[in-house]
Amino acid sequence: MKSKLILTSFLAVSLMACAQETPKVKHKKAAPATKSNAKAVKFANATDPICHMPTEPDMKDTAVYKNKTYGFCSVYCKDEFKKNPEKYVQK
């Protein structure tokens, strides 16, 4: 009886630990092209350094690091980059 309780407790703790992993980024499908006044920006990165999606000139989530503009597919990826940009900057 005691071993079943210990095993159940261990499994519950393991499941809770797995549930606290970093959330996966859910990407939106590409929106249809619309006319806007936004300028196309040339990014320092060809792909999002967090999730490796290709960058596009009209991306809205950007960050400037060492006078270079980096494009991101989502706010989540931009925030992850801002936490430790040296980790993701191509050398």
Side-chain angles (χ1 to χ4, degrees), residues 9 12 23 25-26 39-41 46 50 59 64 66 75 79 81:
S9 299
V25 176
K26 293 183 181 178
K39 292 181 182 178
V41 177
I50 309 301
M59 289 184 148
V64 177
K66 291 190 177 179
V75 174
D79 291 342
F81 176 83

Side-chain angles (χ1 to χ4, degrees), residues 14-24 76:
S14 297
L15 288 173
M16 290 184 75
C18 290
Q20 294 178 0
E21 290 182 10
T22 305
K24 302 289 183 200
Y76 172 80

Side-chain angles (χ1 to χ4, degrees), residues 24-87:
K24 302 289 183 200
V25 176
K26 293 183 181 178
H27 299 287
K28 297 177 184 175
K29 292 185 178 181
T34 59
K35 292 182 181 180
S36 71
N37 294 334
K39 292 181 182 178
V41 177
K42 177 133 173 81
F43 297 119
N45 55 323
T47 60
D48 186 319
I50 309 301
C51 69
H52 308 291
M53 282 188 64
T55 57
E56 296 176 11
D58 62 344
M59 289 184 148
K60 295 176 185 160
D61 293 304
T62 61
V64 177
Y65 179 70
K66 291 190 177 179
N67 295 324
K68 293 183 181 178
T69 303
Y70 294 87
F72 303 94
C73 67
S74 67
V75 174
Y76 172 80
C77 289
K78 177 176 70 174
D79 291 342
E80 285 297 309
F81 176 83
K82 285 183 173 182
K83 289 178 185 175
N84 187 3
E86 282 295 323
K87 178 179 175 183

